[in-house]
Each structure stands twice: as C-alpha cells, then as structure tokens.
Amino acid sequence: MFGRHPQYELIPYLRGELDHAARERVANHLHECAACAAQLDAAARALQLLARQLQDLPTPEWTAYRRELRVKLAERQAQSRPWWRLGAVWGSLATAGIAAALLVALNLNHRAPLETPPVEQLALADANVDLLRNYPVVERMDMLENYDVIEHLDELQGAAPPAAQVHQS
Amino acid sequence: MTTDQTDEELCRRVGEKDMRAFDLLVDRHQARAVRMATSILGNEADGRDASQEAFIRLFQSAHRFDGRSRFSTWFYRILVNLCIDQQRRNRWWNKVVPLAGPGTDNDDEPGIDLPADEPGPEAEVIRNQSARRLRQALKDLSPSQRAAVMLQVQEDLSSREIAEILKCSENTARVHLHRGITRLVKTLKEDS
C-alpha cells in the first residue's frame, strides 16, 4: 500500500527543504514505491545535467555590456523626464516670457491714470464752449424753439429790443 | 564606499541615485542575470536585453526596496517577471517564425546523452549536442515552469524563495518545479 504519491515533494526532499515529519514520510514512501524512487533519480540527473550545461553558456564581454547599459539608462532617464523640463531651450523660453510679461506690466502701470474724470468734464475739456458756460443764456435758448417767431423775424416792426431788455423779460 | 557592502546597502544607495553603488551591484549580478535571462528566453541577445532592462528597472525603483526580502529575491523577481512577460508576448511570434541560427535543432541530431568526462573532440561534439537538446527541452516548458527550474538550478533557491519571486504559493512553486523537471526528463528520454 503506497498511499498518495508525494510527487510534488520529491524535489524539496532532494534539496533537504522538508521538515522532519514530511522528510520521514517521503523517505518511507520511496522505500516502498519504485516508481517514485525512479522519478526522483531521473529528476536528480536532469538537474545535475542542467547545472553543468549552465556553466557552458556563453557570456558577453562585460565592458561592452556595461557601456550599453549606461547608454540605455541615460536614454530612459531622458524619456522619463517631464516634457516641461526638457533641456535649456524651455528654460530660456520661460525666462524670456517672464521678462516680457514684466515689461508689459510695468509699461501699463506708468500709463494708467490714477483717477478717471467724469464724461462731462472730458467733453468740455477740449471744446471751445465758453457760451455754454453762461448758463442763464443757455436756459433761455428754449425760446428759439418758437420757430414761427424766428421765421418771421423780418416782419417784426421796429428795431430789435436791446439785449438788456431781452434779459429782463 | 567599500566593495564589502551588502547588496541591500548598495540598493539603498542606488535609491539615492548613487551611480557607484549601481555599478557595483551590476558588477556583482550581471553574470547571473544574463545567464538566468538567457536560459529563460532561450537566446543570448534577448537574455542580454532583458537583463539590462532589469538593471534599468532596478535603478528606477531602488527607492522602493524596503529591505523586507533579500535584494537578490527582489531583483530576480524583476528579472524573471520581465522574462516571463516577454516570453508570453513572443509566444505567438515564435510559432510563426521558427528560431534560426546556432542552437536550432535538426531532426537528424542524435538524442541527448550525459556529457563524457574525458576530453577530446568526440566528447566535445556530444557535449554540444546535449546542450542544444537541453536548451530545446527547456524551451518546451511553460515560462513559469522554466523560471522555477532555472531559479532552483542556477540560483539554488528553495521552493519558498521561488514562490516569492514568481508571486505564487509555495505549493504552486513546487508544482511548477515538479512539472518542469518531469517534462525535461521525459523530453530527454524521448530523445535518447
């Protein structure tokens, strides 16, 4: 009676990885099961052969290998750098941009007036409107709206009243 | 910096972008890394590229090494996973384009035999043929089986360490090992 074949424990058994109880169990099984014993023997031979073959694998020329590695590492570092940190060009552009913005801001500050005058004052500032400043005259100019009088000025009898009389009326 | 620093100490320095520490780590592990990658991938050029890629990943992520596992376990996890990923990506391509060049099998080659111990041209021929057969037998394994077998044979790692690298349970690592080696033995027997 072999019980369960400890197939997955054969390699750990071979390498001495099993605890005491498991090792005893596998050893007892191997005593009784020729198939498992043969499997263990074949695995040991294959591992031995593989280990020997590994020693014969060709190895690269290490100086060239490390040089190549350095180049690849430098390339990768350049690729992984954020785009806004790519080289001195971006730095120069950014500096120039900031300088230009500062100049524009300073210029605008110098030209901007401290207080904006009311619109009426702006209108009167450059115009020759002395007459308009004489408000009593201006107030009576609504008389001119009587177009009938204006149109028949020639028909009026006598001279025009003096300016003082007009003023008083 | 001294060369007797442990891998773990050097790795911490690499995390601070210390190139001297990086060079020392590369110097210590390059041969094993190339051999491991070449064994898993089945050809030298791919093995060289994969091992260099693993060193680049090491440089980029060394600051994340927390020291809970050994450096070699951490590094081989990077390397083996790279190889397994590449192997899976290339699987369909290898089916379409058969591998050519040295190491390719011919149908009329004799079966594998244990290499003779005595020197001489005949023994050399047999040894080369055996090596080719073995490489081909390795290629027939699944990437995880191949990685498990190579980690055991080359790095002398336990099932638990292999499980840690392959990110699987110890029992799964034992199954990979058993199936890989059983398949190798079967292929070698069929050839002989």
Side-chain angles (χ1 to χ4, degrees):
Chain A
M1 184 70 182
F2 295 143
R4 191 177 64 88
H5 292 286
Q7 48 185 358
Y8 300 132
E9 289 173 309
L10 291 179
I11 305 295
Y13 172 81
L14 188 68
R15 294 175 44 84
E17 290 177 19
L18 298 178
D19 60 32
H20 180 72
R23 195 166 57 243
E24 285 290 307
R25 182 168 39 79
V26 174
N28 288 337
H29 181 90
L30 287 171
H31 259 298
E32 297 171 350
C33 179
C36 281
Q39 197 177 0
L40 181 67
D41 186 48
R45 280 162 58 87
L47 287 174
Q48 200 180 8
L49 177 60
L50 197 55
R52 210 184 302 175
Q53 297 295 340
L54 276 178
Q55 304 305 317
D56 295 338
L57 276 179
T59 51
E61 204 280 294
W62 294 118
T63 310
Y65 176 88
R66 283 194 294 270
R67 197 183 315 122
E68 204 176 290
L69 173 60
R70 279 292 191 119
V71 170
K72 285 182 179 179
L73 182 60
E75 283 172 359
R76 194 65 58 82
Q77 283 178 307
Q79 282 171 9
S80 61
R81 206 172 294 162
W83 63 269
W84 61 87
R85 290 172 59 192
L86 281 179
V89 177
W90 286 106
S92 309
L93 283 175
T95 311
I98 291 167
L102 278 173
L103 281 173
V104 169
L106 282 172
N107 196 24
L108 284 177
N109 260 350
H110 276 295
R111 291 178 67 174
L114 290 174
E115 280 182 21
T116 306
V119 176
E120 309 89 275
Q121 283 185 24
L122 283 173
L124 293 173
D126 297 328
N128 184 11
V129 286
D130 287 340
L131 183 63
L132 288 177
R133 291 201 175 93
N134 192 353
Y135 290 111
V137 173
V138 174
E139 279 169 3
R140 295 182 190 283
M141 284 185 76
D142 56 351
M143 286 175 17
L144 296 177
E145 287 177 7
N146 190 347
Y147 294 112
D148 290 340
V149 175
I150 294 171
E151 283 171 7
H152 298 96
L153 278 176
D154 295 339
E155 298 166 18
L156 287 176
Q157 293 296 319
Q165 280 181 354
V166 174
H167 235 2
Q168 282 166 1
S169 65
Chain B
M1 183 186 305
T2 55
T3 51
D4 59 357
Q5 282 186 299
T6 64
D7 286 349
E8 288 74 19
E9 286 167 343
L10 288 175
C11 187
R12 268 191 293 277
R13 287 181 176 275
V14 174
E16 296 158 6
K17 304 301 172 203
D18 183 336
M19 287 307 290
R20 174 99 180 93
F22 178 67
D23 286 342
L24 275 171
L25 270 181
V26 171
D27 203 43
R28 279 184 194 177
H29 292 274
Q30 60 191 7
R32 291 157 72 195
V34 169
R35 207 160 49 216
M36 172 69 67
T38 302
S39 304
I40 296 176
L41 293 171
N43 76 75
E44 289 167 45
D46 286 349
R48 183 188 180 107
D49 283 346
S51 60
Q52 287 174 332
E53 179 62 31
F55 283 121
I56 290 171
R57 300 270 176 101
L58 152 68
F59 185 83
Q60 290 174 329
S61 54
H63 62 281
R64 287 203 288 267
F65 174 67
D66 55 12
R68 276 186 295 181
S69 58
R70 285 193 303 163
F71 167 79
S72 57
T73 308
W74 183 75
F75 175 65
Y76 280 105
R77 187 185 297 158
I78 295 174
L79 176 65
V80 168
N81 284 322
L82 271 171
C83 293
I84 289 176
D85 286 348
Q86 185 172 335
Q87 192 70 23
R88 285 180 180 148
R89 273 199 308 274
N90 291 345
R91 191 181 288 169
W92 68 272
W93 179 250
N94 288 336
K95 282 179 184 167
V96 178
V97 183
L99 293 170
T104 306
D105 270 356
N106 293 321
D107 289 340
D108 55 352
E109 272 188 3
I112 193 159
D113 199 359
L114 278 174
D117 286 336
E118 61 270 19
E122 242 179 80
E124 185 65 26
V125 169
I126 292 172
R127 195 176 292 124
N128 288 341
Q129 287 168 348
S130 301
R132 275 202 292 275
R133 283 288 180 191
L134 197 61
R135 276 202 291 270
Q136 186 55 44
L138 270 173
K139 276 182 192 168
D140 292 339
L141 305 184
S142 77
S144 299
Q145 289 171 354
R146 197 179 313 142
V149 171
M150 296 313 301
L151 284 166
Q152 174 137 107
V153 174
Q154 186 187 298
E155 296 303 314
D156 201 28
L157 297 184
S158 67
S159 309
R160 186 174 302 163
E161 289 168 314
I162 293 170
E164 210 178 319
I165 289 173
L166 295 180
K167 289 182 184 168
C168 61
S169 70
E170 191 175 349
N171 281 340
T172 305
R174 285 180 178 179
V175 171
H176 283 321
L177 267 174
H178 169 77
R179 291 188 178 159
I181 291 172
T182 304
R183 202 161 168 189
L184 268 184
V185 169
K186 194 179 168 197
T187 309
L188 298 184
K189 268 187 187 165
E190 281 170 359
D191 283 340
S192 58

Short mmCIF file of all heavy atoms in Angstrom, two decimals, chain B residues 10-35:
data_model
loop_
_atom_site.label_atom_id
_atom_site.label_comp_id
_atom_site.label_asym_id
_atom_site.label_seq_id
_atom_site.Cartn_x
_atom_site.Cartn_y
_atom_site.Cartn_z
N LEU B 10 23.83 48.60 -0.79
CA LEU B 10 24.09 49.21 -2.10
C LEU B 10 22.78 49.63 -2.77
O LEU B 10 22.70 50.71 -3.37
CB LEU B 10 24.84 48.23 -3.00
CG LEU B 10 26.31 47.97 -2.65
CD1 LEU B 10 26.90 46.89 -3.54
CD2 LEU B 10 27.13 49.25 -2.78
N CYS B 11 21.77 48.79 -2.61
CA CYS B 11 20.48 49.10 -3.23
C CYS B 11 19.89 50.38 -2.64
O CYS B 11 19.30 51.19 -3.37
CB CYS B 11 19.52 47.93 -3.05
SG CYS B 11 17.98 48.13 -3.95
N ARG B 12 20.04 50.56 -1.33
CA ARG B 12 19.54 51.79 -0.71
C ARG B 12 20.26 53.01 -1.30
O ARG B 12 19.67 54.05 -1.53
CB ARG B 12 19.72 51.74 0.81
CG ARG B 12 18.49 51.18 1.53
CD ARG B 12 18.59 51.37 3.02
NE ARG B 12 19.65 50.57 3.61
CZ ARG B 12 19.50 49.29 3.95
NH1 ARG B 12 18.34 48.67 3.75
NH2 ARG B 12 20.49 48.61 4.47
N ARG B 13 21.56 52.85 -1.55
CA ARG B 13 22.32 53.96 -2.16
C ARG B 13 21.89 54.21 -3.61
O ARG B 13 21.85 55.34 -4.06
CB ARG B 13 23.83 53.65 -2.12
CG ARG B 13 24.40 53.77 -0.72
CD ARG B 13 25.87 53.48 -0.73
NE ARG B 13 26.44 53.67 0.59
CZ ARG B 13 26.85 54.84 1.04
NH1 ARG B 13 26.76 55.90 0.29
NH2 ARG B 13 27.36 54.94 2.26
N VAL B 14 21.58 53.14 -4.30
CA VAL B 14 21.08 53.31 -5.67
C VAL B 14 19.77 54.09 -5.64
O VAL B 14 19.51 54.92 -6.51
CB VAL B 14 20.89 51.93 -6.37
CG1 VAL B 14 20.24 52.10 -7.74
CG2 VAL B 14 22.23 51.22 -6.52
N GLY B 15 18.98 53.85 -4.59
CA GLY B 15 17.73 54.61 -4.41
C GLY B 15 17.98 56.10 -4.31
O GLY B 15 17.12 56.91 -4.64
N GLU B 16 19.20 56.46 -3.84
CA GLU B 16 19.58 57.89 -3.78
C GLU B 16 20.34 58.30 -5.04
O GLU B 16 21.04 59.30 -5.05
CB GLU B 16 20.45 58.13 -2.54
CG GLU B 16 19.71 57.86 -1.23
CD GLU B 16 20.65 57.58 -0.07
OE1 GLU B 16 21.89 57.69 -0.25
OE2 GLU B 16 20.15 57.22 1.02
N LYS B 17 20.23 57.48 -6.07
CA LYS B 17 20.84 57.72 -7.39
C LYS B 17 22.38 57.76 -7.33
O LYS B 17 23.02 58.58 -7.99
CB LYS B 17 20.31 59.02 -8.02
CG LYS B 17 18.80 59.07 -8.15
CD LYS B 17 18.28 57.94 -9.00
CE LYS B 17 16.76 57.87 -8.98
NZ LYS B 17 16.23 56.55 -9.32
N ASP B 18 22.93 56.87 -6.51
CA ASP B 18 24.39 56.75 -6.41
C ASP B 18 24.87 55.81 -7.52
O ASP B 18 24.64 54.59 -7.46
CB ASP B 18 24.74 56.19 -5.02
CG ASP B 18 26.24 56.09 -4.79
OD1 ASP B 18 26.99 56.00 -5.78
OD2 ASP B 18 26.65 56.10 -3.61
N MET B 19 25.52 56.37 -8.54
CA MET B 19 25.93 55.57 -9.69
C MET B 19 27.02 54.57 -9.35
O MET B 19 27.11 53.50 -9.96
CB MET B 19 26.41 56.48 -10.83
CG MET B 19 25.30 57.23 -11.54
SD MET B 19 23.96 56.15 -12.13
CE MET B 19 24.76 55.28 -13.45
N ARG B 20 27.85 54.92 -8.38
CA ARG B 20 28.94 54.00 -8.00
C ARG B 20 28.32 52.72 -7.39
O ARG B 20 28.76 51.62 -7.69
CB ARG B 20 29.84 54.71 -7.00
CG ARG B 20 30.93 53.86 -6.40
CD ARG B 20 32.27 54.07 -7.08
NE ARG B 20 33.30 53.21 -6.46
CZ ARG B 20 33.61 52.01 -6.92
NH1 ARG B 20 33.00 51.52 -7.98
NH2 ARG B 20 34.55 51.28 -6.33
N ALA B 21 27.32 52.92 -6.55
CA ALA B 21 26.65 51.76 -5.94
C ALA B 21 25.96 50.93 -7.02
O ALA B 21 25.98 49.70 -6.99
CB ALA B 21 25.63 52.24 -4.92
N PHE B 22 25.38 51.62 -8.00
CA PHE B 22 24.72 50.92 -9.10
C PHE B 22 25.72 50.06 -9.87
O PHE B 22 25.47 48.89 -10.16
CB PHE B 22 24.05 51.94 -10.02
CG PHE B 22 23.37 51.34 -11.22
CD1 PHE B 22 22.24 50.55 -11.07
CD2 PHE B 22 23.84 51.58 -12.50
CE1 PHE B 22 21.60 49.99 -12.17
CE2 PHE B 22 23.21 51.03 -13.60
CZ PHE B 22 22.10 50.23 -13.44
N ASP B 23 26.89 50.66 -10.18
CA ASP B 23 27.92 49.92 -10.91
C ASP B 23 28.36 48.67 -10.14
O ASP B 23 28.58 47.60 -10.72
CB ASP B 23 29.13 50.83 -11.17
CG ASP B 23 28.84 51.86 -12.25
OD1 ASP B 23 27.87 51.65 -13.01
OD2 ASP B 23 29.56 52.88 -12.32
N LEU B 24 28.47 48.83 -8.83
CA LEU B 24 28.89 47.68 -8.01
C LEU B 24 27.84 46.57 -8.04
O LEU B 24 28.18 45.38 -8.16
CB LEU B 24 29.11 48.12 -6.56
CG LEU B 24 30.49 48.70 -6.25
CD1 LEU B 24 30.52 49.31 -4.85
CD2 LEU B 24 31.56 47.62 -6.37
N LEU B 25 26.57 46.96 -7.96
CA LEU B 25 25.50 45.95 -8.00
C LEU B 25 25.47 45.25 -9.36
O LEU B 25 25.30 44.03 -9.43
CB LEU B 25 24.14 46.60 -7.73
CG LEU B 25 23.70 46.67 -6.27
CD1 LEU B 25 22.32 47.33 -6.17
CD2 LEU B 25 23.65 45.29 -5.63
N VAL B 26 25.64 46.05 -10.42
CA VAL B 26 25.66 45.45 -11.77
C VAL B 26 26.81 44.47 -11.87
O VAL B 26 26.66 43.34 -12.35
CB VAL B 26 25.78 46.55 -12.85
CG1 VAL B 26 26.00 45.92 -14.23
CG2 VAL B 26 24.52 47.41 -12.88
N ASP B 27 27.96 44.90 -11.37
CA ASP B 27 29.16 44.06 -11.43
C ASP B 27 28.93 42.73 -10.70
O ASP B 27 29.35 41.67 -11.16
CB ASP B 27 30.32 44.83 -10.79
CG ASP B 27 31.65 44.32 -11.29
OD1 ASP B 27 31.75 44.07 -12.51
OD2 ASP B 27 32.57 44.13 -10.47
N ARG B 28 28.24 42.79 -9.58
CA ARG B 28 28.02 41.58 -8.80
C ARG B 28 27.02 40.63 -9.45
O ARG B 28 27.14 39.42 -9.32
CB ARG B 28 27.47 41.95 -7.42
CG ARG B 28 28.51 42.39 -6.44
CD ARG B 28 27.89 42.63 -5.09
NE ARG B 28 28.82 43.37 -4.25
CZ ARG B 28 28.53 43.78 -3.03
NH1 ARG B 28 27.34 43.52 -2.52
NH2 ARG B 28 29.42 44.44 -2.31
N HIS B 29 26.01 41.19 -10.12
CA HIS B 29 24.89 40.34 -10.55
C HIS B 29 24.79 40.15 -12.06
O HIS B 29 23.91 39.41 -12.51
CB HIS B 29 23.58 40.91 -10.01
CG HIS B 29 23.46 40.80 -8.52
ND1 HIS B 29 22.98 39.67 -7.91
CD2 HIS B 29 23.82 41.64 -7.53
CE1 HIS B 29 23.02 39.84 -6.59
NE2 HIS B 29 23.53 41.03 -6.34
N GLN B 30 25.64 40.82 -12.82
CA GLN B 30 25.47 40.78 -14.28
C GLN B 30 25.56 39.35 -14.84
O GLN B 30 24.74 38.96 -15.68
CB GLN B 30 26.48 41.70 -14.97
CG GLN B 30 27.92 41.35 -14.69
CD GLN B 30 28.89 42.44 -15.17
OE1 GLN B 30 28.46 43.50 -15.60
NE2 GLN B 30 30.18 42.16 -15.09
N ALA B 31 26.53 38.59 -14.38
CA ALA B 31 26.73 37.25 -14.96
C ALA B 31 25.53 36.35 -14.69
O ALA B 31 25.00 35.69 -15.60
CB ALA B 31 28.00 36.62 -14.39
N ARG B 32 25.06 36.38 -13.45
CA ARG B 32 23.92 35.53 -13.09
C ARG B 32 22.66 36.02 -13.79
O ARG B 32 21.83 35.21 -14.22
CB ARG B 32 23.72 35.53 -11.58
CG ARG B 32 24.85 34.79 -10.86
CD ARG B 32 24.97 35.24 -9.43
NE ARG B 32 23.88 34.76 -8.60
CZ ARG B 32 23.61 35.25 -7.39
NH1 ARG B 32 24.33 36.23 -6.90
NH2 ARG B 32 22.63 34.75 -6.68
N ALA B 33 22.53 37.34 -13.90
CA ALA B 33 21.33 37.89 -14.53
C ALA B 33 21.27 37.52 -16.01
O ALA B 33 20.22 37.10 -16.51
CB ALA B 33 21.30 39.41 -14.36
N VAL B 34 22.40 37.65 -16.69
CA VAL B 34 22.43 37.32 -18.12
C VAL B 34 22.16 35.83 -18.31
O VAL B 34 21.40 35.42 -19.20
CB VAL B 34 23.79 37.71 -18.74
CG1 VAL B 34 23.93 37.13 -20.14
CG2 VAL B 34 23.92 39.23 -18.80
N ARG B 35 22.79 35.01 -17.47
CA ARG B 35 22.62 33.55 -17.59
C ARG B 35 21.16 33.17 -17.35
O ARG B 35 20.59 32.36 -18.08
CB ARG B 35 23.55 32.86 -16.59
CG ARG B 35 23.97 31.48 -17.04
CD ARG B 35 25.20 30.99 -16.34
NE ARG B 35 25.14 31.15 -14.90
CZ ARG B 35 26.18 31.47 -14.14
NH1 ARG B 35 27.35 31.68 -14.69
NH2 ARG B 35 26.07 31.57 -12.83
#
